Amino acid sequence: MKNFARLLRFAWPYRVRFGLSIVCAMLVALFWGANLGAVYPLLQILFRSENSQHWIAEKVESSTTEVACHEARLEELRYFRAATDLRDPLVKGRMKELIAARDREQEVVRGLKAKIVENVAEGEARTLMPPELVVSESQARALRIAEARIEEVGKALAARQEGRLDRLDRRIEEVSDSRDRAENWLAIYQRAQPFINEWLPRNGFRTLLMLIGLVMIG
């Protein structure tokens, strides 16, 4: 501690330089983080032939699904937190309804996948763009929400059966925080989407060149 105090006395006349060095170190970290963050969209463009518009549209769709799943989880958690008797026929019937809804959505997605396979078998896939060869996020959203509800009901029932309402309350707080973070990211993607759609190139190769240039500048 004594040596540290001596060091501070020697370094104090250079406090401005020291502060500037910390700022520069933070800028270095920021630019390195930006360069590494650019690697993911580069890989998306290289391997999936995406452009910036397709990438931001996927982000909006996936974030919308994430927010909806968190909302569904919260709804089930709060329902089973407020339930007074788990043996109530209404409570038992809710679980059956959720399973039936999940099964219906699975059938819908299976039908969509079967149609895609049929198109590929008939040779129509040659005229389709890659996004049309998979079930889209919006088409699978209802299934993901139904699965999220069932998963959360299982956790809620386990906590109630053990009499751990405190664990159920903590889970509600965790899901609420996750929902808030997902909403923040969704808002960021939605604000960025008009700018990206208007100003960034739609050609995948030009987008790749632009990102490489930004990485080199960084």
Side-chain angles (χ1 to χ4, degrees):
M1 191 65 184
K2 187 182 297 184
N3 290 332
F4 183 70
R6 291 177 58 195
L7 178 63
L8 286 179
R9 287 199 301 272
F10 284 120
W12 185 250
Y14 307 100
R15 57 188 179 277
V16 176
R17 295 182 184 179
F18 181 70
L20 289 175
S21 70
I22 292 178
V23 172
C24 290
M26 294 175 65
L27 289 174
V28 169
L30 177 65
F31 279 113
W32 268 105
N35 285 340
L36 293 175
V39 171
Y40 179 71
L42 278 173
L43 292 176
Q44 293 280 25
I45 292 171
L46 283 172
F47 293 110
R48 297 183 59 184
S49 300
E50 286 187 351
N51 56 24
S52 303
Q53 291 74 21
H54 181 213
W55 178 80
I56 192 65
E58 278 193 341
K59 286 297 183 181
V60 170
E61 289 293 334
S62 61
S63 296
T64 301
T65 300
E66 188 176 359
V67 171
C69 286
H70 287 315
E71 289 285 359
R73 291 177 183 272
L74 281 174
E75 184 179 345
E76 299 307 322
L77 286 170
R78 288 166 178 161
Y79 177 85
F80 283 92
R81 176 64 174 83
T84 56
D85 186 2
L86 296 181
R87 294 170 297 180
D88 189 318
L90 292 177
V91 176
K92 293 182 178 180
R94 186 179 183 90
M95 188 61 180
K96 293 180 179 178
E97 291 174 2
L98 293 176
I99 294 175
R102 189 271 313 273
D103 293 342
R104 287 195 299 270
E105 296 303 333
Q106 283 181 338
E107 287 299 321
V108 171
V109 172
R110 287 195 193 99
L112 292 171
K113 290 181 178 180
K115 183 63 176 177
I116 292 171
V117 172
E118 180 183 345
N119 291 337
V120 172
E122 293 177 356
E124 297 178 9
R126 291 192 296 270
T127 64
L128 298 176
M129 296 296 290
E132 295 173 319
L133 296 178
V134 295
V135 177
S136 69
E137 184 69 35
S138 59
Q139 291 172 325
R141 182 172 298 146
L143 175 59
R144 296 185 191 278
I145 293 172
E147 291 174 340
R149 286 183 182 275
I150 293 176
E151 180 184 359
E152 211 58 47
V153 167
K155 296 178 181 178
L157 287 175
R160 284 298 305 268
Q161 289 170 354
E162 295 174 5
R164 295 293 304 275
L165 294 181
D166 58 327
R167 193 172 74 181
L168 194 53
D169 292 335
R170 286 197 301 270
R171 179 59 183 168
I172 291 175
E173 292 179 3
E174 292 173 2
V175 177
S176 296
D177 292 340
S178 299
R179 188 267 317 273
D180 293 341
R181 288 193 295 270
E183 286 180 340
N184 290 336
W185 278 110
L186 176 59
I188 291 172
Y189 291 136
Q190 287 176 332
R191 285 196 296 267
Q193 190 172 27
F195 172 81
I196 291 175
N197 289 341
E198 183 173 358
W199 296 104
L200 295 188
R202 295 183 177 275
N203 179 272
F205 181 70
R206 291 181 180 177
T207 304
L208 180 62
L209 290 179
M210 181 198 68
L211 287 174
I212 291 176
L214 290 176
V215 170
M216 293 177 66
I217 292 171

